[in-house]
């Protein structure tokens, strides 16, 4: 089912990203078109170096595109300055990282509270309520005073999810959220994401694991900086002349 | 507010989790802030704080110079004439601090410094007494002048702060004096004279009429609206009149009118300012050191900052957090720094009081705290700015990458390296100054004095003239004491002199040798004049070169013409074109038969530590008729040469003195070595402070250097492991690290030399530098600094060489 621009939470057109190092130009993304609807759960996959993380960085406003359009929640965000991007990241986007990225010197509560401390005008009581709600959603409310080092990997990632949720973002961007977890904890995190989706969250997840990608409503495949259909991707990967190393891995 | 508190909480937690970083940073800041605050306290008390007098801007010191250009105080008749003629002063007071007086207090006699002055002395300062009153006009005249004003300290210490002290009669030098009043705390003049008692001049009749006797200093209060220039012109005119009226004594004398503050700080001002620069240099070193530590720590915190940026922290917010962290560190540094400042000032207290006119006023006070706060704030801002700017620009994409730090950028490497170069440069400057000062002091302390200073014990004996009225103090006190002391075990020789070498000089008179042509008008023709007992020469180890020594048998006071011995410097000064001083006559009387005869020539000793021996004439103390001796010799210094430990003689000498006269206060004896050290108190203080600063600067630079190299080794573990895996020897790894350190040290030392040369004029107020003369010392210091730098890098270099390549490569 096609999503119109007005229905999209994320709408990107002809998005390109070129990295310049010395005299070499690397085209990381080449003319990407993508729409993600509100409440949708999308998985992005593809081989190493295909541009997944670059695309996620741009979607999360951690990076800016070289060309093309990017509309988030109806606002053009492709060419904002650093401060404006920081503000939108804080209010519209929740990140879940592969390596959890919890701050070791902050407690669980403080880690989840962190994005809220960067918002002006929010009362302490409201902040506390939001943090506790988020922790309850990921079943970690009983560990508020613990430090990350006192938690297992799965628990740390749940706290990271709570942090992503605490700001009530428009979209959760997850970068290989199970990459640093064993299969049991990985499954638990995927279940959690499904629960959040069922509650109405919009999720965009990068993963290279087809089992986890299958949890999403829609899968997007990237290859050499372009979005390709699943069949096309398999064909490309099967061609040893095109990508021998990836083929061998597969 | 909440977020600031949160940042603070986070900072404290972070510091707890990185104690070595926290301790190093706090100690570094504390050293810088502590030293700077201590020096500021000294500068504030001595140069900045207003003097404790009303109308201090109008108080001036007229410094009088002899025709030859050296400082020559006033004679009383000249002062009285000038006071009458000058019309630009509300008050011009004369005073002398040469004498001490014996106060017979409830707990026994005590010797106090006396400020003897004219009746308008207190008018100059405009300070109301705490109790009673000060002098009324005419209270410096005989018959009305047995009155005294107590300083606050004397009132507290000797009179237990009794409020009914005014009007009481006390005995000073055996004579009754009425206490007029008590001055408030903080009032004192001259400023270096503490625990003083103020009494009118009580000038000896001889000095009242002697125009050639220069012994009185003056201080004046200008009339409202009178400028310094007008007052100077007024003085010039008055001195011209005096020279016209009294050509023999006043020709060529000039005056230089100085504001009181300038006069007080003339000697110490420039060195103290240089000391201030040294403290700022140390603070700068601390600042760049902390900046380096924060930069290094910033590399470890890149992922944290990337995450903060990723979840929405703007640059300003990250900078604010970094500054909050730095301020927290500097608050701890401030607390510890104040403690260091307090300790430094406590350790320097004796030096400060002896070396600086207002040294006793140096305390850690509110202005010092304010400056310390300002310094710590500025230091923390300066130190955190570069790391904060850098970290606030951390690419948030880094948060997406797993386990990888970008590591320090090239620009950051360059920045930290430049910090090290800067620290080494400033350390080189401080080390050079400290080294030269130490060398100068050492050479002064080992100056050939002409006598064994450690073996010679001295004590001033000041009698109370009123108790000796009508008596001969030599027959009743000095000689009996000498007889007792000379027979004590361990005493090789003993004698008296009226002005002890090193401790004082300047008791001199213009001299002319009979038969020589008149001396050119601008030539210094003064000879130091001393009165001694015969045993003095043996006690000091002064030998006869020609002629004979003075003896009471050959040189009785009844002889109409006096006799003297002179020293070799006297011969050099007055017989430079040849001739023998022995047998020559001093042109001190119109009648040939009454002129003083030079009977002997003796070896030189230094009268002033900083000058070569001066021309000196020594008279026997018994030269004066017995009736005049109490006026001329109210105070003499006993000089005792010991064959053993001079300290063993102190108690027997005290007993001997009190057996003869228990009313005379016993002043704790000092060896001549101690007298020398006392005379070098300012040099020693300078040395001590620059030495400490240089030591701290070196320590901080080495800590900074060690930190940088250690950090580089940690960050390059993988590179180094790879190099070793590819065949590099461990020695080569060490050599590479040391090469880098050598390069940094060379840069720092070169910059340090450049700075030292550029600042030569400022540093010259503390120590003179002569490239050729000081080359060996400065090369030695340079080499020592370079070696210390290399030594500081040996540990990280060794750690680099012992990296296990497999482990290093796997851990990435």
């Amino acid at each position: 089912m096609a999503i119109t621009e007005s229905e999209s939470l994320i709408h990107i057109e002809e998005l390109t990203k070129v990295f310049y190092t010395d005299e070499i130009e690397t085209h990381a993304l080449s003319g990407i078109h993508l729409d993600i609807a509100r409440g949708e759960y999308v998985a992005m996959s593809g081989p190493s170096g295909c541009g997944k993380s670059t695309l996620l960085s741009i979607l999360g406003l951690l990076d800016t595109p070289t060309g093309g359009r990017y509309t988030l929640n109806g606002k053009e965000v492709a060419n904002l300055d650093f401060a404006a991007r920081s503000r939108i990241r804080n209010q519209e986007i929740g990140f879940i990282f592969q390596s959890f990225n919890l701050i070791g010197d902050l407690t669980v509560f403080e880690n989840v509270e962190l994005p809220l401390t960067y918002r002006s005008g929010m009362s302490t009581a409201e902040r506390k309520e939001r943090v506790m709600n988020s922790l309850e959603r990921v079943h970690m409310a009983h560990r508020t005073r613990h430090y990350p080092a006192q938690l297992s990997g799965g628990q740390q990632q749940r706290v990271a999810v709570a942090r992503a949720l605490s700001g009530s973002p428009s979209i959760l961007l997850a970068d290989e959220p199970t990459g640093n977890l064993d299969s049991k904890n990985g499954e638990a995190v995927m279940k959690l994401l499904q629960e959040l989706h069922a509650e109405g969250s919009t999720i965009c997840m990068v993963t290279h694991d087809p089992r986890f990608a299958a949890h999403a409503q829609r899968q997007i495949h990237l290859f050499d900086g372009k979005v390709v259909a699943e069949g096309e991707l398999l064909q490309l990967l099967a061609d040893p002349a095109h990508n021998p190393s990836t083929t061998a891995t597969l | 507010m909440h977020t600031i508190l949160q940042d603070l909480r986070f900072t404290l937690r972070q510091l707890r989790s990185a104690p070595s970083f926290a301790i190093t940073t706090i100690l570094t800041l504390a050293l810088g802030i502590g030293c700077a605050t201590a020096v500021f306290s000294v500068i504030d008390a001595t140069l900045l704080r207003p003097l404790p007098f009303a109308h201090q801007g109008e108080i001036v010191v007229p410094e009088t110079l002899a025709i030859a250009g050296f400082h020559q105080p006033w004679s009383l008749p000249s002062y009285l004439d000038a006071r009458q003629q000058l019309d630009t002063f509300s008050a011009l007071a004369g005073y002398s601090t040469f004498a001490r007086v014996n106060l017979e207090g409830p707990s026994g006699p005590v010797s106090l410094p006396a400020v003897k002055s004219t009746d308008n002395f207190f008018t100059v300062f405009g300070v109301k007494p705490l109790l009673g009153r000060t002098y009324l006009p005419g209270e410096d005249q005989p018959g009305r002048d047995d009155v005294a004003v107590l300083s606050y300290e004397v009132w507290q210490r000797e009179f237990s702060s009794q409020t009914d002290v005014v009007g009481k009669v006390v005995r000073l030098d055996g004579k009754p004096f009425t206490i007029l009043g008590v001055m408030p705390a903080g009032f004192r003049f001259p400023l270096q004279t503490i625990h003083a008692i103020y009494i009118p001049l009580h000038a000896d009749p001889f000095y009242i009429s002697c125009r050639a006797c220069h012994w009185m200093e003056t201080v004046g209060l200008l009339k409202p609206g009178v400028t310094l220039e007008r007052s100077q012109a007024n003085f010039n005119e008055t001195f011209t009149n005096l020279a016209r009226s009294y050509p023999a004594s006043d020709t060529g004398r000039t005056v230089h009118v100085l504001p009181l503050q300038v006069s007080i700080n003339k000697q110490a001002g420039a060195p103290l300012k240089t000391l201030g620069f040294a403290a700022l240099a140390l603070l700068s070193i601390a600042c760049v050191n902390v900046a380096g530590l924060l930069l290094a720590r910033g590399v470890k915190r890149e992922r944290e900052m990337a995450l903060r940026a990723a979840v929405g922290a703007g640059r300003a917010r990250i900078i604010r957090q970094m500054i909050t962290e730095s301020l927290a560190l500097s608050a701890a540094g401030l607390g510890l720094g104040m403690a260091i400042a307090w300790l430094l000032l406590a350790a320097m207290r004796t030096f400060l009081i002896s070396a600086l006119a207002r040294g006793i006023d140096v305390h850690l006070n509110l202005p010092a705290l304010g400056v310390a706060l300002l310094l710590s704030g500025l230091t923390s801002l300066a130190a955190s700015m570069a790391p904060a700017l850098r970290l606030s620009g951390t690419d948030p994409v880094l948060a997406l990458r797993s386990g990888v730090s970008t590591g320090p950028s090239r620009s950051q490497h360059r920045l930290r390296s430049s910090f090290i170069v800067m620290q080494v440069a400033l350390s080189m400057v401080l080390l050079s100054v400290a080294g030269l000062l130490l060398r100068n002091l050492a050479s002064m302390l080992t100056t050939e004095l002409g006598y064994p200073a450690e073996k010679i014990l001295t004590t001033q004996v000041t009698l109370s003239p009123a108790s000796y009225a009508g008596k001969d103090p030599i027959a009743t006190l000095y000689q009996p004491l000498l007889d007792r002391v000379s027979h004590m075990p361990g005493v090789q020789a003993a004698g008296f002199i009226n002005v002890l070498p090193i401790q004082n000089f300047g008791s001199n008179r213009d001299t002319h040798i009979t038969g020589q042509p008149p001396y050119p008008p601008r030539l210094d023709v003064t000879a130091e004049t001393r009165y001694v007992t015969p045993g003095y020469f043996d006690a000091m180890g002064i030998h006869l070169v020609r002629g004979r020594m003075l003896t009471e048998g050959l040189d009785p006071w009844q002889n109409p013409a006096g006799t003297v011995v002179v020293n070799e410097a006297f011969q050099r000064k007055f017989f430079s074109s040849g001739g023998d001083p022995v047998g020559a006559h001093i042109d001190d009387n119109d009648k040939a038969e009454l002129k003083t005869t030079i009977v002997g020539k003796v070896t030189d000793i230094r009268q002033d530590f900083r000058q070569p021996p001066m021309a000196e004439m020594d008279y026997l103390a018994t030269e004066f008729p017995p009736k005049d001796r109490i006026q001329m010799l109210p105070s003499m210094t006993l000089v005792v040469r010991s064959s053993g430990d001079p300290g063993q003689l102190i108690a027997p000498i005290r007993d001997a003195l009190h057996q003869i006269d228990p009313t005379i206060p016993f002043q704790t004896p000092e060896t001549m070595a101690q007298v020398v050290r006392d005379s070098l108190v300012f040099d020693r203080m300078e040395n001590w402070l620059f030495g400490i600063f240089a030591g701290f600067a070196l320590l901080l630079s080495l800590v900074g250097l060690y930190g940088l190299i250690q950090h580089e080794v940690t960050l390059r573990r993988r590179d180094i492991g790879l190099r070793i895996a590819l065949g590099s020897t461990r020695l080569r790894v060490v050599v590479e690290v040391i090469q880098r350190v050598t390069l940094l040290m060379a840069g720092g030392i070169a910059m340090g030399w450049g700075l030292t040369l550029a600042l030569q004029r400022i540093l010259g107020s503390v120590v003179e530098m002569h490239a050729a003369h000081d080359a060996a010392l400065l090369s030695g210091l340079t080499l020592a600094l370079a070696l210390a730098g290399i030594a500081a890098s040996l540990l990280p270099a060794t750690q680099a060489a012992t990296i296990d390549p497999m482990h290093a490569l796997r851990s990435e």
Side-chain angles (χ1 to χ4, degrees), chain B residues 331-402:
Chain B
L334 171 68
L336 193 60
M338 290 302 280
I340 289 176
W342 185 85
L343 284 173
L344 257 176
L345 290 178
M348 284 159 58
R349 188 144 183 85
T350 315
F351 278 139
L352 291 170
I353 292 172
S354 314
L356 300 171
R358 303 177 75 186
I360 198 167
D361 300 328
V362 177
H363 300 291
L364 268 189
N365 52 14
L366 271 181
L369 181 66
V371 166
L373 258 171
L374 184 74
L375 288 177
S376 65
L378 288 177
T379 309
S380 76
L381 275 181
S384 62
M385 206 37 84
L389 285 174
R390 184 177 181 278
L391 273 184
S392 68
T394 305
D395 189 349
V397 175
L398 191 63
L400 287 176
R401 297 187 196 145
S402 181

Side-chain angles (χ1 to χ4, degrees), chain B residues 655-729:
Chain B
D655 293 345
L657 175 70
H658 284 157
Q659 277 166 16
I660 300 165
D661 186 347
T663 68
I664 294 178
F666 181 67
Q667 294 180 36
T668 310
E670 285 189 317
T671 62
M672 279 308 290
Q674 284 169 308
V675 173
V676 167
R677 282 197 286 273
D678 288 350
S679 76
L680 293 174
V681 67
F682 190 82
D683 308 68
R684 285 164 58 215
M685 185 183 79
E686 254 187 351
N687 224 287
W688 201 78
L689 283 174
F690 271 98
I692 283 185
F693 288 179
F696 283 164
L698 182 63
L699 178 73
L700 292 182
S701 302
L702 295 183
V703 167
L705 184 67
Y706 170 83
L708 176 80
I709 302 301
Q710 175 75 46
H711 184 63
E712 284 188 357
V713 167
T714 308
L715 291 174
R716 291 182 57 223
R717 275 182 70 81
R718 190 174 175 278
D719 288 4
I720 295 168
L722 187 64
R723 282 165 195 264
I724 294 173
L726 293 177
S728 172
T729 62

Side-chain angles (χ1 to χ4, degrees), chain B residues 291-307:
Chain B
L293 286 165
L294 288 172
L295 270 177
R297 187 162 165 74
V299 174
K300 292 180 188 165
R301 295 181 63 191
E302 268 178 345
R303 286 184 67 75
E304 176 201 327
M305 292 305 161
L307 173 80

Side-chain angles (χ1 to χ4, degrees), chain B residues 163-174:
Chain B
T163 48
D164 58 350
V165 75
V166 175
K168 280 193 173 171
V169 175
V170 291
R171 293 185 77 80
L172 295 177
D173 282 345

Side-chain angles (χ1 to χ4, degrees), chain A residues 89 101 110 113 117-118 127, chain B residues 2 6 13 308-309 399:
Chain A
R89 269 202 308 272
N101 280 345
E110 288 165 335
E113 190 189 23
T117 64
Y118 298 135
R127 234 182 354 240
Chain B
H2 175 84
Q6 203 169 37
R13 223 176 280 158
R308 286 177 183 272

Side-chain angles (χ1 to χ4, degrees), chain A residues 57 62-63 82 86 89-90 95 97 99 101 103 105-107 110 113-115 117-118 124 127 147 163 175, chain B residues 2-3 6 9-10 13-14 17 303-304 307-315 317 395-397 399-400 402:
Chain A
S57 300
L62 296 174
D63 205 351
F82 189 92
S86 293
R89 269 202 308 272
N90 182 254
F95 284 104
F97 303 100
S99 51
N101 280 345
I103 295 178
D105 290 319
L106 295 181
T107 61
E110 288 165 335
E113 190 189 23
L114 189 67
T117 64
Y118 298 135
T124 310
R127 234 182 354 240
Y147 286 93
R163 180 179 61 197
D175 182 22
Chain B
H2 175 84
T3 51
Q6 203 169 37
R9 260 206 312 275
F10 176 66
R13 223 176 280 158
Q14 273 213 321
S17 65
R303 286 184 67 75
E304 176 201 327
L307 173 80
R308 286 177 183 272
V311 298
R315 281 194 86 151
R317 183 68 181 79
D395 189 349
V397 175
L400 287 176
S402 181

